[in-house]
Amino acid sequence: MRIFVSTLYTVIFSFCYNTTITAQGNSFSKINKNFKIVTGSFSGKIIDAKTGAAIEAASIYITDIKSGTTSDVSGYFSIKNIPTGKHLVEISHIGYTSIIENIDFANEIIINFALSEAIIENNAVIVTGVTGATQLKKVPFAIEVMRKQDFFQNTSSNIIESLTKISGVATLATGPAISKPVIRGLSYNRVLTINDGVRQEGQQWGDEHGIEIDEASVAKIELFKGPASIIYGSDAMAGVVNIITNVPISTNSLKANISSNYQTNNNLRTLNVNLAGNQNGFNWNIYTSNKAAEDYKNRYDGKVFNSKFNEHNYGGYGGFNGDWGYSHVLFSSFNLKAGLVEGKRDAEGYFTKKIAGGITERANNADFKNTTPLDPYQHIRHRKIAIDNNIKMGKNYITLNIAYQQNKREEFANPDAPAERALFFDLKTITYNAQIRLSEIQGWKTSVGINGMQQNNSNKGLEQLIPDYSLFDFGLYAYSQKTIKKITLSGGFRYDTRKVDAENLLDGFTIKGTQFKKTFSNFSGSLGIAAQLTENLNLKFNIARGFRAPSITEIASNGAHEGTTRYEYGNTTLKNETSIQLDAGIAYRAEHISVGLSAFYNNFDNFIFSRKLEAMAGGDSLVNVSGDLLTAFKFDQQIVSLTGIETSLDIHPHPLDWLHILNTFSMVVGKLKKNIEGVRFIPFIPSAKLVTEFKVTFKKVTNNVSNFYTKFEIENTFAKNNVFTAYNTETKTAGYSLLNAGIGADFVSKNNKTLFSLSASAINITDIAYQNHLSRLKYAEENLATGRLGIFNMGRNFSIKVNIPLSFNLAK
């Protein structure tokens, strides 16, 4: 079967012309035909389109071969050892509109580029959801991009919280240390996290299990909104968070970076150091990161006991880039200790803690200020090693990514035996991904590949929530793309199979769940179109069929654990989740205004969700666990639909080009086909949100201050009344508005070298006491002194960040 898909927009430069490309919408002009070929290198000069002045530190990057450089003080750049063939090249600099061109390197040439000052950025190079680098505006699905600069200017307690700046993205949080991405109302095993080509495998099924990736190492995140099963297989029904850390620096250079962050609310402090080098193709990068925080506070709860955490990470990569491709070895170690907030208080409203002897007492001031969690707490360690290869074979490319991960998650909850593990999950995973990217045939760009994993999980603690199990996953896919004038077609198909072999689930020596073997298989596919109707108007439409096998907890759990308020039963009769999503978007981008509208409809067969069980005598079904009565939940399936819209309006009013006014709105509604206890709404769908940001930017303020910005943000989160109230599963949430602000700049030397960057921000300036609808702490116990249910989110928080870059030229 031949599958239609979109090709990259290509421009083939003749080897007998010296060409200057000017970023001015989609228009490009050739200037000066007198130049020479430079064999084995891609070189040129970067200048300002308006003034003609050289631009230093502009980035020239070729994503597919992970090779690039930056321009020097005279604007000159050079890249060697580029494999022959067509590659997408991105030329960018802060404050300028990027140039993105597909260049044929059969004959390497000199090309000069003229960058125009950015009013509104309208393009980017992405790799998520496609089989090679392509332009964002040429893919038919919704993808958003955040870069290291965006994370530096925003304040959050973890990397996933930063993604909430993207329309249609929320987080399901259990305190400041643990956040899970929610894309268009879907989370848990429906969102797949990819890190440098490796699918991240931890215990992502749980409320209190986060993403085990060091935020300081992140260079870029691409967030795919919608079913991505065609490339990534099961668990990518809602979308993909593609985290990119491995970005080699310029050839013959050495760079170091020191950064730090301090936040006032919980006295969070971080220190991050990385060192990278590249000499004649041998390149490497190592980093270390340390983070610690005390208990956070808000106006209603004061200091929230045991919300503290500390984190210590390290990692990096090493390898070689040549004219045949590249080969890299990556490694990382993530180590987090985080308190589990139970929210238990005495009759006067003071938080209590467990102490030896089976008794409790009030938490004291020293307890709140410590960064070492007290019982109960979790210790998460995630280690990973991977090989990442992209090898040129004739006119084709073969990519191979193989990784081994070990995720250890321990829960401690007994003050009488501090070393006793109530739960201990030891998860070992081998993932593999092999792909052949075929050379273009009559404009068709096609890839075929296989990917999957072998996984084993064992219990080493006193209790078992899920059984010991092994899992084997295999998928085969094909994808192709072609551009016909200004229309890009895309599509592909995939077949997946997953086998799960579970052992008996034990409670001591008692079997509370019998062993089983299950196989889940299905097909998925997509077909889409992206049309550039005019220079400024872009239209996208995509239809995709997604697939997800039930997770091990959904089919086999039986137990309770710290950090939740429920006892959970799995359901071995669950079937595959399948969905059909229609996704459409239209975007208009002119010099001073940008308008975007996206809408989607997602219909699920056999949608899996948990709901409370009702006791035979009426009321909640309760399970006695060590004297605590926990509400019982069980997984169920229904036909459901999700509908949503996302809009954006970005204005730079002329002649006030330094003023940026951005408005974003997102809303999603999820409904069951059949009522349950008179309710049709799906549980735990995020509230609608409207964000308005006023931002002032200046590329140069003085000879020593550049890239200055200041911003003021109004974040309006609407009340959530359409909730799944059956069996008291979910409660309504009041709306709220937060006022945020920020300011920052780069401080440079006389020769325009960045000495350091500063960023300061204030979050929730008016200290509003609020509960996010997806906060799991919202369902903590009632404060008997005030009558308020649950625990509230973080109050006012000031943050300051500093980043110090150092660079050395090894060629001299």
Side-chain angles (χ1 to χ4, degrees):
M1 179 187 296
R2 192 174 199 182
I3 308 300
F4 290 99
V5 227
S6 70
T7 62
L8 301 175
Y9 176 58
T10 62
V11 177
I12 303 176
F13 298 91
S14 168
F15 64 89
C16 59
Y17 293 102
N18 183 17
T19 306
T20 296
I21 296 181
T22 304
Q24 193 73 37
N26 289 325
S27 64
F28 302 94
S29 59
K30 292 183 179 179
I31 305 172
N32 188 356
K33 298 183 179 181
N34 183 21
F35 78 97
K36 62 180 180 178
I37 300 172
V38 180
T39 304
S41 68
F42 169 44
S43 59
K45 187 176 182 180
I46 313 295
I47 62 172
D48 186 298
K50 184 177 181 180
T51 66
I55 298 178
E56 185 183 4
S59 171
I60 302 91
Y61 194 67
I62 307 173
T63 300
D64 274 344
I65 63 172
K66 293 188 177 178
S67 182
T69 188
T70 55
S71 57
D72 62 19
V73 67
S74 62
Y76 177 78
F77 71 90
S78 177
I79 307 176
K80 298 181 180 180
N81 296 325
I82 301 175
T84 59
K86 294 181 179 179
H87 301 292
L88 199 64
V89 180
E90 181 179 25
I91 296 90
S92 60
H93 191 279
I94 296 174
Y96 290 93
T97 300
S98 299
I99 294 176
I100 300 172
E101 280 301 312
N102 206 6
I103 300 176
D104 190 344
F105 288 99
N107 294 294
E108 289 132 326
I109 59 175
I110 299 172
I111 306 177
N112 298 328
F113 297 92
L115 296 181
S116 299
E117 287 192 27
I119 304 299
I120 294 177
E121 183 61 82
N122 61 8
N123 207 2
V125 173
I126 56 99
V127 296
T128 308
V130 292
T131 56
T134 191
Q135 295 184 59
L136 180 60
K137 63 184 178 183
K138 292 183 178 293
V139 296
F141 25 74
I143 295 182
E144 302 282 351
V145 177
M146 291 189 74
R147 303 179 187 274
K148 201 174 189 72
Q149 177 194 1
D150 300 317
F151 302 131
F152 185 74
Q153 293 183 3
N154 296 328
T155 295
S156 62
S157 57
N158 58 68
I159 192 67
I160 298 302
E161 285 291 340
S162 296
L163 299 180
T164 59
K165 298 294 181 181
I166 297 175
S167 180
V169 179
T171 59
L172 192 152
T174 309
I178 302 295
S179 296
K180 303 173 71 64
V182 180
I183 302 177
R184 291 179 168 177
L186 300 173
S187 186
Y188 296 100
N189 287 68
R190 298 183 185 94
V191 176
L192 184 63
T193 300
I194 303 291
N195 183 206
D196 289 329
V198 179
R199 62 178 290 158
Q200 189 78 4
E201 283 297 314
Q203 307 289 345
Q204 60 261 35
W205 44 264
D207 290 339
E208 72 284 14
H209 307 164
I211 305 300
E212 301 92 353
I213 294 175
D214 177 70
E215 64 179 276
S217 67
V218 176
K220 175 183 176 183
I221 291 182
E222 298 174 359
L223 191 137
F224 184 117
K225 295 187 283 189
S229 301
I230 183 175
I231 300 297
Y232 303 103
S234 179
D235 303 345
M237 289 191 79
V240 174
V241 179
N242 187 10
I243 300 176
I244 299 169
T245 64
N246 177 15
V247 180
I249 64 172
S250 306
T251 303
N252 295 326
S253 63
L254 180 68
K255 291 187 176 181
N257 207 80
I258 303 172
S259 62
S260 184
N261 176 214
Y262 175 74
Q263 297 181 21
T264 60
N265 185 283
N266 57 352
N267 288 322
L268 180 144
R269 49 269 199 188
T270 68
L271 177 63
N272 315 297
V273 180
N274 85 281
L275 184 65
N278 189 339
Q279 188 164 27
N280 299 323
F282 290 97
N283 54 92
W284 51 273
N285 187 357
I286 57 174
Y287 68 85
T288 181
S289 175
N290 294 276
K291 179 193 295 186
E294 301 169 9
D295 292 336
Y296 81 86
K297 61 184 176 182
N298 62 60
R299 190 153 54 94
Y300 283 169
D301 299 307
K303 288 276 190 178
V304 177
F305 175 67
N306 216 25
S307 58
K308 56 179 66 66
F309 63 93
N310 60 72
E311 186 179 313
H312 308 281
N313 312 315
Y314 64 86
Y317 85 94
F320 183 80
N321 288 51
D323 56 7
W324 49 268
Y326 64 81
S327 181
H328 297 156
V329 177
L330 304 90
F331 66 96
S332 64
S333 175
F334 177 92
N335 192 326
L336 169 68
K337 288 184 178 180
L340 294 171
V341 179
E342 292 185 315
K344 293 184 177 181
R345 287 171 271 211
D346 61 23
E348 297 180 33
Y350 291 94
F351 284 104
T352 60
K353 64 178 181 178
K354 296 178 181 179
I355 60 175
I359 60 176
T360 62
E361 67 178 19
R362 285 182 180 176
N364 57 46
N365 192 51
D367 295 327
F368 292 125
K369 291 187 175 181
N370 203 323
T371 62
T372 300
L374 303 176
D375 291 325
Y377 72 94
Q378 60 179 325
H379 186 193
I380 301 171
R381 289 168 289 171
H382 192 98
R383 293 183 174 89
K384 176 172 57 183
I385 185 167
I387 57 171
D388 186 24
N389 303 281
N390 186 12
I391 301 170
K392 184 173 176 60
M393 303 288 288
K395 295 183 178 181
N396 308 316
Y397 277 89
I398 295 178
T399 63
L400 178 65
N401 188 301
I402 300 175
Y404 171 78
Q405 303 172 66
Q406 183 178 28
N407 183 280
K408 293 183 177 183
R409 181 179 178 277
E410 303 164 277
E411 288 187 2
F412 300 86
N414 187 354
D416 291 302
E420 180 185 275
R421 301 172 177 90
L423 289 175
F424 184 179
F425 304 111
D426 189 357
L427 179 68
K428 300 179 178 70
T429 307
I430 296 174
T431 60
Y432 59 91
N433 181 23
Q435 181 187 97
I436 300 175
R437 297 208 311 267
L438 303 175
S439 61
E440 287 190 25
I441 302 176
Q442 296 181 346
W444 288 95
K445 201 171 182 181
T446 304
S447 299
V448 295
I450 61 171
N451 53 23
M453 62 180 171
Q454 171 67 53
Q455 188 172 86
N456 295 92
N457 191 78
S458 58
N459 289 285
K460 296 181 179 180
L462 291 179
E463 305 168 12
Q464 291 191 10
L465 174 64
I466 58 175
D468 294 352
Y469 72 91
S470 62
L471 177 151
F472 178 75
D473 189 88
F474 173 82
L476 171 68
Y477 65 90
Y479 189 89
S480 188
Q481 55 185 19
K482 183 178 176 65
T483 296
I484 305 172
K485 296 183 179 179
K486 294 186 176 182
I487 296 177
T488 303
L489 301 175
S490 66
F493 67 92
R494 179 186 180 94
Y495 173 75
D496 277 284
T497 184
R498 172 173 290 185
K499 296 181 179 180
V500 181
D501 186 353
E503 302 295 332
N504 289 329
L505 181 60
L506 302 176
D507 182 3
F509 296 101
T510 303
I511 297 176
K512 59 178 179 178
T514 56
Q515 63 183 15
F516 63 85
K517 293 183 180 180
K518 282 187 171 291
T519 300
F520 302 93
S521 301
N522 221 302
F523 289 92
S524 54
S526 70
L527 183 65
I529 183 172
Q532 294 175 260
L533 302 180
T534 68
E535 183 176 326
N536 298 326
L537 188 62
N538 203 55
L539 179 68
K540 296 183 179 186
F541 178 80
N542 193 66
I543 180 171
R545 185 180 193 270
F547 149 76
R548 183 178 76 90
S551 69
I552 189 67
T553 52
E554 291 167 338
I555 56 179
S557 63
N558 187 337
H561 57 102
E562 300 291 345
T564 71
T565 58
R566 65 189 186 189
Y567 191 98
E568 195 168 75
Y569 291 101
N571 186 347
T572 56
T573 67
L574 295 177
K575 302 176 182 179
N576 289 330
E577 274 190 349
T578 57
S579 71
I580 297 291
Q581 176 164 311
L582 304 178
D583 197 324
I586 186 168
Y588 176 80
R589 293 182 174 91
E591 186 177 4
H592 294 279
I593 188 171
S594 174
V595 182
L597 171 64
S598 295
F600 67 91
Y601 174 78
N602 200 354
N603 187 81
F604 278 81
D605 288 326
N606 302 319
F607 181 84
I608 301 172
F609 66 101
S610 65
R611 67 175 186 180
K612 280 185 179 179
L613 292 179
E614 187 175 15
M616 294 182 63
D620 294 342
S621 175
L622 302 176
V623 181
N624 190 319
V625 179
S626 301
D628 291 330
L629 292 178
L630 300 182
T631 306
F633 283 73
K634 186 173 183 177
F635 289 99
D636 197 0
Q637 287 188 305
Q638 268 263 24
I639 297 175
V640 307
S641 63
L642 290 94
T643 307
I645 60 170
E646 298 151 10
T647 65
S648 65
L649 174 62
D650 194 353
I651 303 172
H652 287 253
H654 187 69
L656 307 179
D657 296 340
W658 44 265
L659 178 61
H660 164 106
I661 305 172
L662 174 63
N663 300 272
T664 61
F665 174 77
S666 60
M667 179 182 69
V668 60
V669 177
K671 290 187 176 182
L672 302 160
K673 184 177 181 180
K674 296 181 180 179
N675 290 357
I676 297 178
E677 294 292 310
V679 181
R680 289 193 60 184
F681 297 104
I682 301 172
F684 307 121
I685 298 294
S687 305
K689 186 166 71 171
L690 171 66
V691 179
T692 300
E693 180 185 82
F694 300 88
K695 188 174 183 179
V696 173
T697 60
F698 291 102
K699 194 156 61 74
K700 186 175 182 179
V701 179
T702 69
N703 291 333
N704 300 111
V705 179
S706 64
N707 299 319
F708 170 85
Y709 75 91
T710 184
K711 61 181 180 179
F712 181 77
E713 179 184 84
I714 306 172
E715 179 182 328
N716 296 293
T717 300
F718 295 88
K720 184 65 175 177
N721 296 316
N722 297 330
V723 298
F724 185 72
T725 56
Y727 313 121
N728 297 320
T729 298
E730 189 180 25
T731 60
K732 297 180 180 181
T733 306
Y736 54 90
S737 296
L738 304 182
L739 302 181
N740 310 319
I743 188 171
D746 296 335
F747 294 83
V748 300
S749 63
K750 292 181 179 180
N751 58 0
N752 207 36
K753 290 285 186 181
T754 300
L755 301 175
F756 62 94
S757 302
L758 279 179
S759 172
S761 63
I763 307 300
N764 191 5
I765 296 173
T766 56
D767 200 24
I768 295 292
Y770 71 97
Q771 289 178 324
N772 186 286
H773 183 66
L774 297 185
S775 170
R776 307 309 301 139
L777 301 185
K778 176 174 177 273
Y779 297 94
E781 294 183 12
E782 177 187 355
N783 184 341
L784 296 177
T786 64
R788 299 188 183 101
L789 292 174
I791 293 174
F792 287 72
N793 288 73
M794 186 178 289
R796 183 187 296 115
N797 188 21
F798 295 97
S799 169
I800 185 166
K801 296 181 181 180
V802 61
N803 185 73
I804 304 173
L806 303 169
S807 61
F808 308 92
N809 191 338
L810 300 179
K812 296 180 180 179

